[in-house]
Amino acid sequence: MSIRTEIIGTTRDRLGECPLWDTRDQSLYWIDSKARLVRRLRDGEYREWATPSDVGSIALTQRGRLVLSVEDGFHLLDLDSGATRRLAEIRHKGPSMRMNDGRTDRQGRFVAGSMVMGRHDTDGAYYRLDTNGSATQLFDGIALANATCFSPDGRTLYHADSFSDTISAVDYDPATGAAGPRRALFNTRPHGSAPDGTTVDADGNLWVALVQASKIGCFKPDGTLLQLLDVPAPFPTCPCFGGKNLDVLYVTSISNSGNLMRSEHPDAGAIFAFHGLGVRGLPEVLYDDRNLA
């Protein structure tokens, strides 16, 4: 099977992250964290919305809004007006911290982790945003939360502390949203990179952005490597499945993250689409905001 890669749209992100495919209207959403923007492509039409601070991740909602994980916690973005309001404040353990990578669980709650900036202290944590707009800490001891996604049955929460180079998992209770102890699964350093963003396909395999190696790796949960994709520009950050049949892999990337990851490559910061992989993803679960004003 021949794999084909194309660039989607004309934008170039400083720090592209968290692509999401909305099956309701065939839209691709993603963020430029450093530009403080949410971006969208729908039928070739581009739109963008400002965020109140650097944004780490987003979630689609049932009422057509977006949840944002930003510096001080979780916010709600109204796509019609562009207005944002805070749902839940996160009081970080240390200075220079913000919220980062996140994903909606199978029951419509949003789970996201935090990160420290300019240091490697494990002051970060993972939090669950419940459907009433309140946030609960799940576990701590994280420096840079990434690779957040759920198994198809929703009983396993995958994540990484990127500074550890390790993909980990916790047992996750779908009924209550409680998380069990962390256990290490596999280390990505043998493939030349720490793990960045990750998504799960319909077979339960993990597609991991190997940001420092310019590759996407497909792994079984036990760490068995199934496939490596070469990304035609430096610093791929996060994949998601989209397209009409959820068989296209979209990948965000970096042009200038504000630290060591910067590139003058003309396609740095682009959105890449991989066709012909022969696998399908799962629809993004919508955050349940029906009880929120």
Side-chain angles (χ1 to χ4, degrees), residues 167-234:
I167 300 284
S168 299
V170 299
D171 293 330
Y172 190 84
D173 187 331
T176 66
R182 280 184 282 166
R183 61 186 185 276
L185 295 180
F186 60 95
N187 191 290
T188 60
R189 183 50 59 183
H191 305 289
S193 179
D196 203 328
T198 300
T199 193
V200 170
D201 65 25
D203 296 321
N205 298 314
L206 284 73
W207 294 76
V208 183
L210 301 172
V211 60
Q212 294 157 306
S214 299
K215 297 180 185 295
I216 303 292
C218 177
F219 299 87
K220 290 183 178 180
D222 66 3
T224 302
L225 178 66
L226 299 176
Q227 190 171 8
L228 272 178
L229 302 177
D230 290 316
V231 179

Side-chain angles (χ1 to χ4, degrees), residues 239-263:
C240 82
F241 283 96
K244 183 178 180 180
N245 298 312
L246 293 176
D247 59 354
V248 180
L249 190 72
Y250 293 98
V251 178
T252 50
S253 66
I254 291 171
S255 64
N256 183 356
S257 68
N259 53 34
L260 296 178
M261 292 187 181
R262 62 182 67 194
S263 172

